[in-house]
PDB file of all heavy atoms in Angstrom:
ATOM      1  N   LYS A   1     -69.313 -42.971 -31.689  1.00 86.00           N
ATOM      2  CA  LYS A   1     -68.371 -43.940 -32.221  1.00 86.00           C
ATOM      3  C   LYS A   1     -67.191 -43.268 -32.715  1.00 86.00           C
ATOM      4  O   LYS A   1     -67.132 -42.127 -33.247  1.00 86.00           O
ATOM      5  CB  LYS A   1     -69.065 -44.739 -33.261  1.00 86.00           C
ATOM      6  CG  LYS A   1     -70.275 -45.574 -32.768  1.00 86.00           C
ATOM      7  CD  LYS A   1     -70.891 -46.434 -33.825  1.00 86.00           C
ATOM      8  CE  LYS A   1     -72.119 -47.275 -33.301  1.00 86.00           C
ATOM      9  NZ  LYS A   1     -72.676 -48.041 -34.335  1.00 86.00           N
ATOM     10  N   SER A   2     -65.960 -44.042 -32.750  1.00 89.00           N
ATOM     11  CA  SER A   2     -64.718 -43.522 -33.212  1.00 89.00           C
ATOM     12  C   SER A   2     -64.138 -44.661 -34.122  1.00 89.00           C
ATOM     13  O   SER A   2     -64.379 -45.828 -33.941  1.00 89.00           O
ATOM     14  CB  SER A   2     -63.761 -43.184 -32.038  1.00 89.00           C
ATOM     15  OG  SER A   2     -64.256 -42.236 -31.209  1.00 89.00           O
ATOM     16  N   SER A   3     -63.262 -44.221 -35.036  1.00 91.00           N
ATOM     17  CA  SER A   3     -62.452 -45.096 -35.796  1.00 91.00           C
ATOM     18  C   SER A   3     -61.045 -45.209 -35.243  1.00 91.00           C
ATOM     19  O   SER A   3     -60.473 -44.156 -34.837  1.00 91.00           O
ATOM     20  CB  SER A   3     -62.406 -44.682 -37.254  1.00 91.00           C
ATOM     21  OG  SER A   3     -63.679 -44.774 -37.900  1.00 91.00           O
ATOM     22  N   MET A   4     -60.458 -46.346 -35.350  1.00 93.00           N
ATOM     23  CA  MET A   4     -59.094 -46.574 -35.006  1.00 93.00           C
ATOM     24  C   MET A   4     -58.271 -46.840 -36.286  1.00 93.00           C
ATOM     25  O   MET A   4     -58.477 -47.865 -36.947  1.00 93.00           O
ATOM     26  CB  MET A   4     -58.845 -47.726 -33.943  1.00 93.00           C
ATOM     27  CG  MET A   4     -57.289 -47.802 -33.559  1.00 93.00           C
ATOM     28  SD  MET A   4     -57.025 -49.232 -32.530  1.00 93.00           S
ATOM     29  CE  MET A   4     -57.919 -48.761 -31.066  1.00 93.00           C
ATOM     30  N   ILE A   5     -57.385 -45.900 -36.715  1.00 92.00           N
ATOM     31  CA  ILE A   5     -56.645 -46.050 -37.959  1.00 92.00           C
ATOM     32  C   ILE A   5     -55.176 -46.557 -37.487  1.00 92.00           C
ATOM     33  O   ILE A   5     -54.594 -45.908 -36.618  1.00 92.00           O
ATOM     34  CB  ILE A   5     -56.607 -44.719 -38.706  1.00 92.00           C
ATOM     35  CG1 ILE A   5     -57.916 -44.013 -38.840  1.00 92.00           C
ATOM     36  CG2 ILE A   5     -55.924 -44.879 -40.037  1.00 92.00           C
ATOM     37  CD1 ILE A   5     -58.930 -44.920 -39.456  1.00 92.00           C
ATOM     38  N   TRP A   6     -54.764 -47.578 -38.269  1.00 92.00           N
ATOM     39  CA  TRP A   6     -53.534 -48.301 -37.825  1.00 92.00           C
ATOM     40  C   TRP A   6     -52.519 -48.135 -38.898  1.00 92.00           C
ATOM     41  O   TRP A   6     -52.747 -48.384 -40.020  1.00 92.00           O
ATOM     42  CB  TRP A   6     -53.899 -49.714 -37.641  1.00 92.00           C
ATOM     43  CG  TRP A   6     -52.843 -50.667 -37.122  1.00 92.00           C
ATOM     44  CD1 TRP A   6     -51.617 -50.974 -37.716  1.00 92.00           C
ATOM     45  CD2 TRP A   6     -52.912 -51.385 -35.894  1.00 92.00           C
ATOM     46  NE1 TRP A   6     -50.958 -51.826 -37.028  1.00 92.00           N
ATOM     47  CE2 TRP A   6     -51.570 -52.109 -35.893  1.00 92.00           C
ATOM     48  CE3 TRP A   6     -53.688 -51.421 -34.884  1.00 92.00           C
ATOM     49  CZ2 TRP A   6     -51.358 -52.902 -34.777  1.00 92.00           C
ATOM     50  CZ3 TRP A   6     -53.468 -52.258 -33.732  1.00 92.00           C
ATOM     51  CH2 TRP A   6     -52.229 -53.046 -33.726  1.00 92.00           C
ATOM     52  N   TRP A   7     -51.226 -47.626 -38.592  1.00 91.00           N
ATOM     53  CA  TRP A   7     -50.072 -47.659 -39.536  1.00 91.00           C
ATOM     54  C   TRP A   7     -49.072 -48.575 -38.886  1.00 91.00           C
ATOM     55  O   TRP A   7     -48.772 -48.627 -37.679  1.00 91.00           O
ATOM     56  CB  TRP A   7     -49.455 -46.273 -39.508  1.00 91.00           C
ATOM     57  CG  TRP A   7     -50.299 -45.204 -40.240  1.00 91.00           C
ATOM     58  CD1 TRP A   7     -50.171 -44.828 -41.498  1.00 91.00           C
ATOM     59  CD2 TRP A   7     -51.246 -44.321 -39.648  1.00 91.00           C
ATOM     60  NE1 TRP A   7     -51.072 -43.866 -41.841  1.00 91.00           N
ATOM     61  CE2 TRP A   7     -51.654 -43.456 -40.703  1.00 91.00           C
ATOM     62  CE3 TRP A   7     -51.800 -44.177 -38.320  1.00 91.00           C
ATOM     63  CZ2 TRP A   7     -52.680 -42.556 -40.416  1.00 91.00           C
ATOM     64  CZ3 TRP A   7     -52.735 -43.305 -38.189  1.00 91.00           C
ATOM     65  CH2 TRP A   7     -53.151 -42.414 -39.246  1.00 91.00           C
ATOM     66  N   SER A   8     -48.400 -49.382 -39.769  1.00 88.00           N
ATOM     67  CA  SER A   8     -47.433 -50.424 -39.348  1.00 88.00           C
ATOM     68  C   SER A   8     -46.041 -49.820 -39.561  1.00 88.00           C
ATOM     69  O   SER A   8     -45.767 -49.244 -40.588  1.00 88.00           O
ATOM     70  CB  SER A   8     -47.612 -51.617 -40.108  1.00 88.00           C
ATOM     71  OG  SER A   8     -46.528 -52.542 -39.688  1.00 88.00           O
ATOM     72  N   PHE A   9     -45.108 -50.032 -38.645  1.00 84.00           N
ATOM     73  CA  PHE A   9     -43.707 -49.596 -38.834  1.00 84.00           C
ATOM     74  C   PHE A   9     -42.889 -50.840 -39.203  1.00 84.00           C
ATOM     75  O   PHE A   9     -41.640 -50.675 -39.227  1.00 84.00           O
ATOM     76  CB  PHE A   9     -43.156 -49.101 -37.529  1.00 84.00           C
ATOM     77  CG  PHE A   9     -43.858 -47.865 -36.987  1.00 84.00           C
ATOM     78  CD1 PHE A   9     -44.086 -47.681 -35.638  1.00 84.00           C
ATOM     79  CD2 PHE A   9     -44.363 -46.890 -37.857  1.00 84.00           C
ATOM     80  CE1 PHE A   9     -44.785 -46.475 -35.234  1.00 84.00           C
ATOM     81  CE2 PHE A   9     -44.964 -45.757 -37.381  1.00 84.00           C
ATOM     82  CZ  PHE A   9     -45.134 -45.566 -36.165  1.00 84.00           C
ATOM     83  N   ALA A  10     -43.425 -51.967 -39.481  1.00 77.00           N
ATOM     84  CA  ALA A  10     -42.685 -53.192 -39.932  1.00 77.00           C
ATOM     85  C   ALA A  10     -41.888 -52.903 -41.203  1.00 77.00           C
ATOM     86  O   ALA A  10     -42.334 -52.144 -41.968  1.00 77.00           O
ATOM     87  CB  ALA A  10     -43.581 -54.328 -40.085  1.00 77.00           C
ATOM     88  N   ASP A  11     -40.835 -53.561 -41.361  1.00 69.00           N
ATOM     89  CA  ASP A  11     -39.886 -53.296 -42.463  1.00 69.00           C
ATOM     90  C   ASP A  11     -40.503 -53.581 -43.823  1.00 69.00           C
ATOM     91  O   ASP A  11     -40.191 -52.915 -44.825  1.00 69.00           O
ATOM     92  CB  ASP A  11     -38.522 -54.143 -42.380  1.00 69.00           C
ATOM     93  CG  ASP A  11     -37.708 -53.630 -41.164  1.00 69.00           C
ATOM     94  OD1 ASP A  11     -37.883 -52.407 -40.854  1.00 69.00           O
ATOM     95  OD2 ASP A  11     -36.943 -54.456 -40.609  1.00 69.00           O
ATOM     96  N   ASP A  12     -41.367 -54.617 -43.816  1.00 64.00           N
ATOM     97  CA  ASP A  12     -41.879 -55.002 -45.061  1.00 64.00           C
ATOM     98  C   ASP A  12     -43.205 -54.366 -45.420  1.00 64.00           C
ATOM     99  O   ASP A  12     -44.042 -54.753 -46.370  1.00 64.00           O
ATOM    100  CB  ASP A  12     -42.076 -56.577 -45.155  1.00 64.00           C
ATOM    101  CG  ASP A  12     -42.996 -57.075 -43.989  1.00 64.00           C
ATOM    102  OD1 ASP A  12     -43.300 -56.185 -43.127  1.00 64.00           O
ATOM    103  OD2 ASP A  12     -43.539 -58.203 -43.992  1.00 64.00           O
ATOM    104  N   GLU A  13     -43.582 -53.242 -44.688  1.00 66.00           N
ATOM    105  CA  GLU A  13     -44.809 -52.606 -44.979  1.00 66.00           C
ATOM    106  C   GLU A  13     -44.631 -51.191 -45.294  1.00 66.00           C
ATOM    107  O   GLU A  13     -43.712 -50.538 -44.746  1.00 66.00           O
ATOM    108  CB  GLU A  13     -45.740 -52.753 -43.834  1.00 66.00           C
ATOM    109  CG  GLU A  13     -46.300 -54.222 -43.576  1.00 66.00           C
ATOM    110  CD  GLU A  13     -47.360 -54.267 -42.586  1.00 66.00           C
ATOM    111  OE1 GLU A  13     -48.235 -53.371 -42.617  1.00 66.00           O
ATOM    112  OE2 GLU A  13     -47.487 -55.303 -41.760  1.00 66.00           O
ATOM    113  N   ASP A  14     -45.567 -50.575 -46.040  1.00 71.00           N
ATOM    114  CA  ASP A  14     -45.423 -49.163 -46.448  1.00 71.00           C
ATOM    115  C   ASP A  14     -45.890 -48.313 -45.175  1.00 71.00           C
ATOM    116  O   ASP A  14     -46.974 -48.462 -44.679  1.00 71.00           O
ATOM    117  CB  ASP A  14     -46.402 -48.888 -47.561  1.00 71.00           C
ATOM    118  CG  ASP A  14     -46.465 -47.435 -48.057  1.00 71.00           C
ATOM    119  OD1 ASP A  14     -45.742 -46.645 -47.273  1.00 71.00           O
ATOM    120  OD2 ASP A  14     -47.012 -47.088 -48.967  1.00 71.00           O
ATOM    121  N   PRO A  15     -44.972 -47.456 -44.650  1.00 65.00           N
ATOM    122  CA  PRO A  15     -45.314 -46.735 -43.421  1.00 65.00           C
ATOM    123  C   PRO A  15     -46.533 -45.763 -43.702  1.00 65.00           C
ATOM    124  O   PRO A  15     -47.152 -45.301 -42.626  1.00 65.00           O
ATOM    125  CB  PRO A  15     -44.014 -45.963 -43.117  1.00 65.00           C
ATOM    126  CG  PRO A  15     -43.236 -45.871 -44.474  1.00 65.00           C
ATOM    127  CD  PRO A  15     -43.644 -47.105 -45.236  1.00 65.00           C
ATOM    128  N   PHE A  16     -46.855 -45.433 -44.914  1.00 71.00           N
ATOM    129  CA  PHE A  16     -48.014 -44.561 -45.173  1.00 71.00           C
ATOM    130  C   PHE A  16     -49.269 -45.279 -45.416  1.00 71.00           C
ATOM    131  O   PHE A  16     -50.322 -44.683 -45.510  1.00 71.00           O
ATOM    132  CB  PHE A  16     -47.699 -43.618 -46.311  1.00 71.00           C
ATOM    133  CG  PHE A  16     -46.408 -42.835 -46.110  1.00 71.00           C
ATOM    134  CD1 PHE A  16     -45.421 -42.831 -47.012  1.00 71.00           C
ATOM    135  CD2 PHE A  16     -46.312 -42.026 -44.976  1.00 71.00           C
ATOM    136  CE1 PHE A  16     -44.259 -42.005 -46.774  1.00 71.00           C
ATOM    137  CE2 PHE A  16     -45.191 -41.261 -44.781  1.00 71.00           C
ATOM    138  CZ  PHE A  16     -44.199 -41.228 -45.679  1.00 71.00           C
ATOM    139  N   ASN A  17     -49.152 -46.590 -45.566  1.00 80.00           N
ATOM    140  CA  ASN A  17     -50.408 -47.370 -45.820  1.00 80.00           C
ATOM    141  C   ASN A  17     -51.101 -47.609 -44.431  1.00 80.00           C
ATOM    142  O   ASN A  17     -50.438 -47.960 -43.460  1.00 80.00           O
ATOM    143  CB  ASN A  17     -49.993 -48.652 -46.395  1.00 80.00           C
ATOM    144  CG  ASN A  17     -51.246 -49.567 -46.809  1.00 80.00           C
ATOM    145  OD1 ASN A  17     -52.285 -49.012 -47.077  1.00 80.00           O
ATOM    146  ND2 ASN A  17     -51.181 -50.870 -46.681  1.00 80.00           N
ATOM    147  N   ASN A  18     -52.382 -47.486 -44.414  1.00 85.00           N
ATOM    148  CA  ASN A  18     -53.052 -47.566 -43.132  1.00 85.00           C
ATOM    149  C   ASN A  18     -54.371 -48.390 -43.409  1.00 85.00           C
ATOM    150  O   ASN A  18     -54.870 -48.620 -44.419  1.00 85.00           O
ATOM    151  CB  ASN A  18     -53.367 -46.249 -42.558  1.00 85.00           C
ATOM    152  CG  ASN A  18     -54.194 -45.359 -43.477  1.00 85.00           C
ATOM    153  OD1 ASN A  18     -55.365 -45.609 -43.763  1.00 85.00           O
ATOM    154  ND2 ASN A  18     -53.557 -44.300 -43.958  1.00 85.00           N
ATOM    155  N   LYS A  19     -54.854 -48.867 -42.179  1.00 89.00           N
ATOM    156  CA  LYS A  19     -56.089 -49.686 -42.158  1.00 89.00           C
ATOM    157  C   LYS A  19     -56.957 -49.251 -41.094  1.00 89.00           C
ATOM    158  O   LYS A  19     -56.375 -48.914 -39.946  1.00 89.00           O
ATOM    159  CB  LYS A  19     -55.788 -51.172 -42.021  1.00 89.00           C
ATOM    160  CG  LYS A  19     -54.880 -51.742 -43.153  1.00 89.00           C
ATOM    161  CD  LYS A  19     -54.505 -53.244 -42.874  1.00 89.00           C
ATOM    162  CE  LYS A  19     -53.704 -53.711 -43.901  1.00 89.00           C
ATOM    163  NZ  LYS A  19     -53.259 -55.219 -43.596  1.00 89.00           N
ATOM    164  N   ARG A  20     -58.285 -49.306 -41.155  1.00 91.00           N
ATOM    165  CA  ARG A  20     -59.178 -49.073 -40.100  1.00 91.00           C
ATOM    166  C   ARG A  20     -59.432 -50.421 -39.393  1.00 91.00           C
ATOM    167  O   ARG A  20     -60.026 -51.295 -39.906  1.00 91.00           O
ATOM    168  CB  ARG A  20     -60.535 -48.505 -40.535  1.00 91.00           C
ATOM    169  CG  ARG A  20     -61.367 -48.091 -39.389  1.00 91.00           C
ATOM    170  CD  ARG A  20     -62.599 -47.320 -39.826  1.00 91.00           C
ATOM    171  NE  ARG A  20     -63.638 -48.245 -40.343  1.00 91.00           N
ATOM    172  CZ  ARG A  20     -64.832 -47.817 -40.823  1.00 91.00           C
ATOM    173  NH1 ARG A  20     -65.199 -46.584 -40.725  1.00 91.00           N
ATOM    174  NH2 ARG A  20     -65.697 -48.751 -41.218  1.00 91.00           N
ATOM    175  N   VAL A  21     -58.929 -50.572 -38.151  1.00 91.00           N
ATOM    176  CA  VAL A  21     -58.994 -51.832 -37.477  1.00 91.00           C
ATOM    177  C   VAL A  21     -60.224 -51.865 -36.538  1.00 91.00           C
ATOM    178  O   VAL A  21     -60.552 -52.987 -36.053  1.00 91.00           O
ATOM    179  CB  VAL A  21     -57.639 -52.136 -36.724  1.00 91.00           C
ATOM    180  CG1 VAL A  21     -56.582 -52.345 -37.579  1.00 91.00           C
ATOM    181  CG2 VAL A  21     -57.452 -51.102 -35.652  1.00 91.00           C
ATOM    182  N   TYR A  22     -60.761 -50.714 -36.331  1.00 92.00           N
ATOM    183  CA  TYR A  22     -61.989 -50.756 -35.346  1.00 92.00           C
ATOM    184  C   TYR A  22     -62.866 -49.477 -35.711  1.00 92.00           C
ATOM    185  O   TYR A  22     -62.342 -48.398 -36.024  1.00 92.00           O
ATOM    186  CB  TYR A  22     -61.516 -50.701 -33.935  1.00 92.00           C
ATOM    187  CG  TYR A  22     -62.695 -50.574 -32.964  1.00 92.00           C
ATOM    188  CD1 TYR A  22     -63.438 -51.663 -32.641  1.00 92.00           C
ATOM    189  CD2 TYR A  22     -63.009 -49.445 -32.265  1.00 92.00           C
ATOM    190  CE1 TYR A  22     -64.551 -51.621 -31.763  1.00 92.00           C
ATOM    191  CE2 TYR A  22     -63.986 -49.359 -31.414  1.00 92.00           C
ATOM    192  CZ  TYR A  22     -64.765 -50.427 -31.084  1.00 92.00           C
ATOM    193  OH  TYR A  22     -65.884 -50.312 -30.214  1.00 92.00           O
ATOM    194  N   TRP A  23     -64.177 -49.707 -35.521  1.00 91.00           N
ATOM    195  CA  TRP A  23     -65.074 -48.530 -35.581  1.00 91.00           C
ATOM    196  C   TRP A  23     -66.267 -48.864 -34.544  1.00 91.00           C
ATOM    197  O   TRP A  23     -66.824 -49.868 -34.759  1.00 91.00           O
ATOM    198  CB  TRP A  23     -65.672 -48.355 -36.940  1.00 91.00           C
ATOM    199  CG  TRP A  23     -66.606 -47.194 -37.043  1.00 91.00           C
ATOM    200  CD1 TRP A  23     -66.237 -45.843 -37.047  1.00 91.00           C
ATOM    201  CD2 TRP A  23     -68.103 -47.257 -37.121  1.00 91.00           C
ATOM    202  NE1 TRP A  23     -67.418 -45.071 -37.177  1.00 91.00           N
ATOM    203  CE2 TRP A  23     -68.486 -45.920 -37.124  1.00 91.00           C
ATOM    204  CE3 TRP A  23     -68.935 -48.181 -37.089  1.00 91.00           C
ATOM    205  CZ2 TRP A  23     -69.944 -45.509 -37.227  1.00 91.00           C
ATOM    206  CZ3 TRP A  23     -70.376 -47.964 -37.268  1.00 91.00           C
ATOM    207  CH2 TRP A  23     -70.757 -46.695 -37.236  1.00 91.00           C
ATOM    208  N   GLY A  24     -66.502 -47.938 -33.614  1.00 90.00           N
ATOM    209  CA  GLY A  24     -67.473 -48.171 -32.649  1.00 90.00           C
ATOM    210  C   GLY A  24     -67.207 -47.380 -31.427  1.00 90.00           C
ATOM    211  O   GLY A  24     -66.302 -46.505 -31.352  1.00 90.00           O
ATOM    212  N   PRO A  25     -67.954 -47.643 -30.384  1.00 88.00           N
ATOM    213  CA  PRO A  25     -67.853 -46.922 -29.091  1.00 88.00           C
ATOM    214  C   PRO A  25     -66.510 -47.221 -28.477  1.00 88.00           C
ATOM    215  O   PRO A  25     -66.154 -48.460 -28.364  1.00 88.00           O
ATOM    216  CB  PRO A  25     -68.943 -47.361 -28.245  1.00 88.00           C
ATOM    217  CG  PRO A  25     -69.407 -48.703 -28.771  1.00 88.00           C
ATOM    218  CD  PRO A  25     -69.106 -48.603 -30.200  1.00 88.00           C
ATOM    219  N   LEU A  26     -65.662 -46.263 -28.050  1.00 89.00           N
ATOM    220  CA  LEU A  26     -64.345 -46.478 -27.540  1.00 89.00           C
ATOM    221  C   LEU A  26     -64.216 -45.515 -26.272  1.00 89.00           C
ATOM    222  O   LEU A  26     -64.206 -44.296 -26.506  1.00 89.00           O
ATOM    223  CB  LEU A  26     -63.324 -46.108 -28.549  1.00 89.00           C
ATOM    224  CG  LEU A  26     -61.863 -46.436 -28.226  1.00 89.00           C
ATOM    225  CD1 LEU A  26     -61.674 -48.059 -27.991  1.00 89.00           C
ATOM    226  CD2 LEU A  26     -60.903 -46.043 -29.349  1.00 89.00           C
ATOM    227  N   LEU A  27     -64.180 -46.189 -25.187  1.00 86.00           N
ATOM    228  CA  LEU A  27     -64.201 -45.264 -23.869  1.00 86.00           C
ATOM    229  C   LEU A  27     -62.801 -45.160 -23.245  1.00 86.00           C
ATOM    230  O   LEU A  27     -62.702 -44.389 -22.268  1.00 86.00           O
ATOM    231  CB  LEU A  27     -65.186 -45.950 -22.883  1.00 86.00           C
ATOM    232  CG  LEU A  27     -66.601 -46.003 -23.277  1.00 86.00           C
ATOM    233  CD1 LEU A  27     -67.445 -46.470 -22.219  1.00 86.00           C
ATOM    234  CD2 LEU A  27     -67.082 -44.648 -23.787  1.00 86.00           C
ATOM    235  N   ALA A  28     -61.814 -45.931 -23.712  1.00 90.00           N
ATOM    236  CA  ALA A  28     -60.460 -45.710 -23.307  1.00 90.00           C
ATOM    237  C   ALA A  28     -59.534 -46.412 -24.180  1.00 90.00           C
ATOM    238  O   ALA A  28     -59.919 -47.347 -24.936  1.00 90.00           O
ATOM    239  CB  ALA A  28     -60.241 -46.288 -21.901  1.00 90.00           C
ATOM    240  N   ILE A  29     -58.244 -45.975 -24.283  1.00 93.00           N
ATOM    241  CA  ILE A  29     -57.299 -46.671 -25.130  1.00 93.00           C
ATOM    242  C   ILE A  29     -55.946 -46.575 -24.349  1.00 93.00           C
ATOM    243  O   ILE A  29     -55.673 -45.582 -23.738  1.00 93.00           O
ATOM    244  CB  ILE A  29     -57.121 -45.896 -26.500  1.00 93.00           C
ATOM    245  CG1 ILE A  29     -56.327 -46.786 -27.420  1.00 93.00           C
ATOM    246  CG2 ILE A  29     -56.552 -44.563 -26.348  1.00 93.00           C
ATOM    247  CD1 ILE A  29     -57.082 -47.982 -27.909  1.00 93.00           C
ATOM    248  N   SER A  30     -55.123 -47.719 -24.463  1.00 95.00           N
ATOM    249  CA  SER A  30     -53.889 -47.727 -23.755  1.00 95.00           C
ATOM    250  C   SER A  30     -52.907 -48.555 -24.636  1.00 95.00           C
ATOM    251  O   SER A  30     -53.331 -49.747 -24.975  1.00 95.00           O
ATOM    252  CB  SER A  30     -53.993 -48.336 -22.342  1.00 95.00           C
ATOM    253  OG  SER A  30     -52.763 -48.330 -21.697  1.00 95.00           O
ATOM    254  N   ALA A  31     -51.715 -48.122 -24.813  1.00 94.00           N
ATOM    255  CA  ALA A  31     -50.774 -48.928 -25.630  1.00 94.00           C
ATOM    256  C   ALA A  31     -49.458 -49.116 -24.714  1.00 94.00           C
ATOM    257  O   ALA A  31     -49.015 -48.252 -23.956  1.00 94.00           O
ATOM    258  CB  ALA A  31     -50.307 -48.110 -26.879  1.00 94.00           C
ATOM    259  N   GLY A  32     -48.950 -50.368 -24.825  1.00 93.00           N
ATOM    260  CA  GLY A  32     -47.729 -50.641 -24.112  1.00 93.00           C
ATOM    261  C   GLY A  32     -46.569 -50.774 -25.049  1.00 93.00           C
ATOM    262  O   GLY A  32     -46.492 -50.023 -26.021  1.00 93.00           O
ATOM    263  N   ASP A  33     -45.535 -51.664 -24.731  1.00 92.00           N
ATOM    264  CA  ASP A  33     -44.447 -51.804 -25.510  1.00 92.00           C
ATOM    265  C   ASP A  33     -44.764 -52.386 -26.961  1.00 92.00           C
ATOM    266  O   ASP A  33     -44.234 -52.021 -27.962  1.00 92.00           O
ATOM    267  CB  ASP A  33     -43.406 -52.623 -24.853  1.00 92.00           C
ATOM    268  CG  ASP A  33     -42.872 -51.973 -23.610  1.00 92.00           C
ATOM    269  OD1 ASP A  33     -43.083 -50.762 -23.350  1.00 92.00           O
ATOM    270  OD2 ASP A  33     -42.066 -52.695 -22.936  1.00 92.00           O
ATOM    271  N   SER A  34     -45.737 -53.312 -26.959  1.00 92.00           N
ATOM    272  CA  SER A  34     -46.062 -54.043 -28.125  1.00 92.00           C
ATOM    273  C   SER A  34     -47.489 -54.159 -28.523  1.00 92.00           C
ATOM    274  O   SER A  34     -47.848 -54.653 -29.556  1.00 92.00           O
ATOM    275  CB  SER A  34     -45.401 -55.470 -28.125  1.00 92.00           C
ATOM    276  OG  SER A  34     -44.030 -55.429 -27.814  1.00 92.00           O
TER     277      SER A  34
END
């Protein structure tokens, strides 16, 4: 299992504040424009 830690670049959010949005088996990951 892996954790996915998420940082937001939105103007109204602290760029150093993060959240764990997933924890579990992760066999692939892909990010697009958004």
Side-chain angles (χ1 to χ4, degrees):
K1 297 181 179 181
S2 299
S3 291
M4 182 187 292
I5 312 301
W6 185 296
W7 290 267
S8 175
F9 299 143
D11 291 333
D12 57 347
E13 294 193 36
D14 182 353
F16 301 124
N17 186 33
N18 56 66
K19 301 176 182 178
R20 188 174 76 177
V21 297
Y22 177 76
W23 182 76
L26 187 62
L27 299 185
I29 193 75
S30 177
D33 293 351
S34 307

